[in-house]
Amino acid sequence: MWPCVVSSFSRRLVASLGVCGRRKCCGTAAFMPEAPAFEGVRSRSELRDFSVSDSERFWAAVGNQRLSWISPFHTVQDCDLTQGRIKWFEGGKLNVSVNCLDRHVHTSPDRVALIWERDEQGSEVKYTYRELLEMTCRLGNVLRRRGVKRGDCVTIYMPTCPLAVAAMLACARIGAAHNVVFAGFSADALAERIRDAESNTVITVNQGVRGGKFTELKKTVDEAVQSCPSVQQVLVAMRTDTPVVMTARDVAMEEDVVCEPAVMNSEDVLFLLYTSGSTGKPKGIVHTQAGYLLYAALTHRYVFSYHDGDVFGCVADIGWITGHSYTVYGPLANGGTTVLFESTPIYPDPGRYWNTVERLKINQFYGAPTAIRLLLKYGDHWVTKYDRSTLKTLGSVGEPINTEAWEWYHRVVGDGRCPVVDTWWQTETGGICIAPRPSEPDAEIVPGMAMRPFFGIKPVLMDTEGKVLTSNNTSGALCMAQPWPGMARTIRNNHQRFIETYYQPYPGYFFTGDGAYRSAQGYYQITGRLDDVINVSGHRIGTAEIEDNQCSAVAESAVIGFSHDIKGEGVYAFVVLKKNIDIKEDDLSRQLNKMVSKKIAKYACPDLANRLPKTRSGKIMRRVLRKVVERDLDGLGDLSTLDDPTLDVMILEQTGSHHKSLSDSINPLV
Ligand code: AMP
């Protein structure tokens, strides 16, 4: 390929001479085959500008080129951000599983689609496109035979494994939506999601295996479905040899290798994925077929510079959006080879990721800052003992990556030769929106910054009055001024909440809920949530969700996030005990953790719990809370209005002992 960098002088020269600028044209065409049809586009940055200024033509060309349609679309987009109306590729009919499987089976049936990196190190299993298609069809037929119809929603409660991917694609094949629930969620949280999705079918496994530990997933499903009258059947696959009790509702997985794909409209629902908001119950974010798939595929191809034959290693669980878009849909739509990572970064030892990179010859590695921060502490030798020469791109997602972690990832893991792409996006955006790449191949990458908007993405920063901030070197609320195909369409059962959350705060714009800084050079850096959402190890949790669940000793609580050196943010709970309750701090912490694990999941458990400082008139002393968390002894100010005189001693102790408690509470959840 021709080198793509030319100076602005030579670009001007080419333009003024009116010649095609062959070096540039050819480079851009090789970079993106659709580009030659876009007038005036001769470089990657011009391509990006075109994707925003003429977004309809850009997405029409890309949509036609990169998806297989049963019938073509007639309208590229029908979006109105003031109304929260998002529609892409209407009139088009397609099947997502055909796009992810059949079309690759036609051209290269024996190409590896999945490499299942099982929890047991060194026991990976490969599945070709043909095998994955067969598995998907078998499962699709089982679902159809058992009455699952187009438009139904199937809940999948499984660890990251080939059958889980086949289950997602089987739903897509027969036109059912899927609702993957992270297998770390508790029975109560699972039940809440099943009920809201109105699923009549759940797919699970007998047991999960992670970090050498077994989890009783089928038992959790048994408990959850007690309060889910909609559930008629539970399909149970065997991950281990341990038999489980089967009830009349349960069906052992069986197998019929042709499954006719349903003809789906572009805007039919592909899946729901629940995520936390600042208030109320988790939101079932709805993604639809064509736009989501196209966006996942395009971002996977260009942000990571994924090429045919590469092995893509995204280590996220399929229970999160990253697992959906970059373990399953993006790589498979591109006919890629994708790794399903079932284990943890430190099992059996802290070299697990890099052992996997060496063994599976991973070319793009995509992980979370929380894991990088954790591994950094174990030392370089766990990395350097493995061959990482296959690595070409390193990705980071889920939370801001601090400079120290970024540098270590770049210098030690990538030997200083792989671009590190800090990718900003969220469940609602469907795919990556801001990342250092694609850009000119040698364009600078600033550590810890997501930097550049992707094709078709137009970020804006808003001030507190809701006005667009036009200058650089400024911070504001991050919004998107233009729709793109991957964006969420609604919240299941609550379109009003969708509008209120994302479209009313800044009319005419999609509001991300995040704050961002735009540097003097125009690069974006995400500064964190602007709402009451905590990001624990890259997983979102609403403070209200934790506060809503009271344990027997507690009358009232307030939960805040605090800076945690491994998890990014930890959960700090302040509680008011019920009258006449006398309980030791350790016991209180234990009770709170038990309750939160039961109601939500282990990752949401408070790292620290303390009694809530209130004034005698009953007001929460927030300034004290802030100072406690910031460990600012001098800033505590006047504590004489505290209702409980013993609290001031405790608060003072807390500010001093904070650091120790943090390192004691390291509990990586990635
Ligand atoms: P989720 O939808 O659960 O994936 O969470 C999305 C949220 O995670 C975003 O709104 C951000 O607050 C945060 N986030 C994701 N990626 C990044 C990143 N690269 N830098 C900073 N924050 C991020």
Side-chain angles (χ1 to χ4, degrees):
M1 198 165 65
W2 289 99
C4 286
V5 195
V6 271
S7 65
S8 56
F9 169 74
S10 56
R11 194 179 307 136
R12 275 199 307 274
L13 185 69
V14 162
S16 64
L17 290 174
V19 293
C20 91
R22 192 172 148 263
R23 281 161 54 105
K24 298 292 289 181
C25 279
C26 298
T28 312
F31 175 67
M32 183 180 271
E34 297 90 336
F38 306 145
E39 297 94 45
V41 170
R42 292 195 191 85
S43 68
R44 296 185 190 187
S45 53
E46 284 173 2
L47 181 57
R48 212 208 80 74
D49 292 347
F50 181 88
S51 74
V52 174
S53 63
D54 204 344
S55 104
E56 284 219 12
R57 277 196 50 214
F58 176 83
W59 289 115
V62 171
N64 276 318
Q65 168 89 10
R66 288 167 196 260
L67 295 182
S68 293
W69 297 91
I70 300 166
S71 328
F73 51 90
H74 53 60
T75 308
V76 182
Q77 61 138 322
D78 172 19
C79 302
D80 179 354
L81 295 187
T82 61
Q83 309 287 318
R85 186 178 73 232
I86 322 285
K87 291 180 179 180
W88 285 85
F89 306 120
E90 277 191 299
K93 294 189 191 298
L94 78 168
N95 184 281
V96 164
S97 81
V98 169
N99 274 274
C100 290
L101 300 173
D102 306 48
R103 62 174 173 161
H104 310 311
V105 172
H106 287 138
T107 54
S108 21
D110 297 323
R111 180 183 290 176
V112 174
L114 307 179
I115 308 178
W116 183 19
E117 173 67 7
R118 287 158 31 100
D119 192 51
E120 302 85 345
Q121 183 165 272
S123 70
E124 72 272 13
V125 189
K126 296 182 175 168
Y127 291 76
T128 63
Y129 270 92
R130 191 207 317 260
E131 287 166 336
L132 182 58
L133 175 62
E134 282 181 14
M135 201 184 342
T136 300
C137 286
R138 286 193 193 107
L139 197 42
N141 286 326
V142 171
L143 292 172
R144 258 194 193 138
R145 247 196 329 269
R146 303 204 62 92
V148 177
K149 299 181 304 301
R150 183 188 174 121
D152 288 353
C153 180
V154 173
T155 294
I156 299 172
Y157 187 67
M158 297 173 97
T160 299
C161 63
L163 204 61
V165 175
M168 293 162 80
L169 294 169
C171 290
R173 193 156 194 92
I174 66 170
H178 58 69
N179 166 34
V180 180
V181 178
F182 172 56
F185 275 120
S186 68
D188 288 7
L190 172 63
E192 186 177 11
R193 287 157 177 77
I194 295 175
R195 278 196 303 268
D196 193 71
E198 297 165 281
S199 284
N200 56 19
T201 302
V202 178
I203 310 181
T204 191
V205 294
N206 61 334
Q207 292 184 306
V209 192
R210 195 152 182 261
K213 299 201 185 81
F214 297 91
T215 43
E216 303 298 327
L217 298 189
K218 162 71 163 64
K219 265 197 196 137
T220 308
V221 173
D222 287 345
E223 199 184 324
V225 299
Q226 302 284 321
S227 60
C228 302
S230 61
V231 174
Q232 287 156 9
Q233 53 195 349
V234 176
L235 307 189
V236 186
M238 300 295 282
R239 168 59 180 87
T240 64
D241 295 332
T242 311
V244 284
V245 177
M246 300 288 276
T247 69
R249 195 196 303 114
D250 301 330
V251 185
M253 280 303 197
E254 27 152 331
E255 311 205 347
D256 218 347
V257 273
V258 181
C259 177
E260 203 47 45
V263 177
M264 304 301 290
N265 300 309
S266 294
E267 284 297 337
D268 286 336
V269 175
L270 178 62
F271 65 85
L272 320 179
L273 190 60
Y274 283 84
T275 187
S276 297
S278 48
T279 52
K281 296 194 315 176
K283 310 173 267 202
I285 299 294
V286 173
H287 283 287
T288 56
Q289 316 262 327
Y292 168 79
L293 188 66
L294 179 67
Y295 197 71
L298 201 73
T299 45
H300 169 253
R301 162 72 185 81
Y302 287 101
V303 171
F304 301 99
S305 193
Y306 183 88
H307 286 88
D308 261 7
D310 286 348
V311 175
F312 191 76
C314 168
V315 290
D317 192 283
I318 49 143
W320 309 109
I321 190 68
T322 308
H324 282 57
S325 301
Y326 300 109
T327 304
V328 181
Y329 287 112
L332 295 181
N334 287 331
T337 298
T338 180
V339 174
L340 304 180
F341 186 77
E342 191 181 38
S343 195
T344 79
I346 50 168
Y347 179 76
D349 58 49
R352 179 58 187 261
Y353 278 167
W354 325 118
N355 171 295
T356 307
V357 165
E358 176 183 290
R359 207 166 7 89
L360 307 188
K361 301 189 169 31
I362 288 174
N363 301 113
Q364 290 87 9
F365 181 87
Y366 194 25
T370 184
I372 304 300
R373 284 191 295 265
L374 176 71
L375 295 177
L376 177 160
K377 289 193 190 294
Y378 284 96
D380 299 1
H381 66 287
W382 288 108
V383 184
T384 51
K385 66 195 267 202
Y386 296 105
D387 177 7
R388 291 152 286 111
S389 58
T390 52
L391 286 174
K392 294 192 279 193
T393 308
L394 297 172
S396 164
V397 62
E399 43 167 331
I401 178 162
N402 49 308
T403 312
E404 187 194 6
W406 193 101
E407 300 277 8
W408 186 81
Y409 201 24
H410 182 249
R411 181 177 50 81
V412 179
V413 176
D415 274 334
R417 54 176 187 83
C418 305
V420 171
V421 289
D422 172 12
T423 62
W424 176 87
W425 62 296
Q426 40 183 205
T427 307
E428 292 86 342
T429 67
I432 295 162
C433 287
I434 307 181
R437 296 284 191 261
S439 48
E440 306 301 342
D442 58 354
E444 69 167 335
I445 297 184
V446 182
M449 264 200 175
M451 299 183 76
R452 304 180 175 96
F454 188 71
F455 297 128
I457 299 295
K458 191 174 175 191
V460 290
L461 298 180
M462 299 287 185
D463 69 9
T464 43
E465 259 103 65
K467 291 210 187 67
V468 176
L469 292 157
T470 49
S471 58
N472 283 351
N473 193 12
T474 190
S475 296
L478 179 66
C479 293
M480 298 295 165
Q482 217 167 267
W484 66 98
M487 66 198 307
R489 302 304 197 254
T490 187
I491 293 173
R492 165 90 175 188
N493 292 332
N494 205 341
H495 194 65
Q496 192 51 35
R497 187 176 177 196
F498 181 71
I499 293 171
E500 281 164 15
T501 310
Y502 304 111
Y503 294 99
Q504 269 176 7
Y506 302 94
Y509 297 85
F510 167 78
F511 174 46
T512 65
D514 281 326
Y517 164 72
R518 188 169 50 228
S519 72
Q521 294 79 16
Y523 301 143
Y524 288 88
Q525 178 169 35
I526 310 307
T527 47
R529 300 289 308 186
L530 298 174
D531 53 13
D532 286 335
V533 169
I534 307 178
N535 191 326
V536 182
S537 305
H539 306 321
R540 259 201 258 179
I541 183 79
T543 46
E545 270 176 77
I546 307 177
E547 288 164 1
D548 280 353
N549 298 293
Q550 297 294 344
C551 77
S552 56
V554 172
E556 210 186 335
S557 62
V559 165
I560 54 172
F562 69 94
S563 172
H564 188 292
D565 58 358
I566 299 287
K567 301 187 199 183
E569 273 190 293
V571 176
Y572 202 128
F574 288 94
V575 299
V576 175
L577 296 182
K578 285 185 183 153
K579 276 217 162 71
N580 306 325
I581 293 273
D582 185 20
I583 186 167
K584 286 209 202 85
E585 212 125 300
D586 282 357
D587 294 337
L588 175 65
S589 270
R590 221 168 293 124
Q591 241 191 56
L592 285 173
N593 280 345
K594 206 166 143 204
M595 180 269 302
V596 177
S597 323
K598 180 169 167 0
K599 295 282 180 189
I600 309 171
K602 277 215 180 77
Y603 81 87
C605 284
D607 296 87
L608 298 165
N610 225 319
R611 289 167 63 194
L612 188 63
K614 279 192 168 188
T615 63
R616 289 191 194 100
S617 60
K619 283 209 185 90
I620 296 172
M621 295 178 76
R622 287 189 191 276
R623 85 181 152 79
V624 175
L625 297 185
R626 211 167 303 119
K627 296 302 170 192
V628 168
V629 172
E630 288 167 1
R631 275 180 276 141
D632 180 5
L633 259 178
D634 299 334
L636 274 174
D638 180 15
L639 297 180
S640 62
T641 49
L642 275 173
D643 66 337
D644 178 350
T646 59
L647 267 178
D648 60 354
V649 179
M650 206 180 64
I651 287 166
L652 293 173
E653 278 171 359
Q654 192 64 51
T655 48
S657 66
H658 199 109
H659 215 57
K660 177 179 169 296
S661 329
L662 282 189
S663 48
D664 286 350
S665 65
I666 290 173
N667 173 25
L669 268 154
V670 280

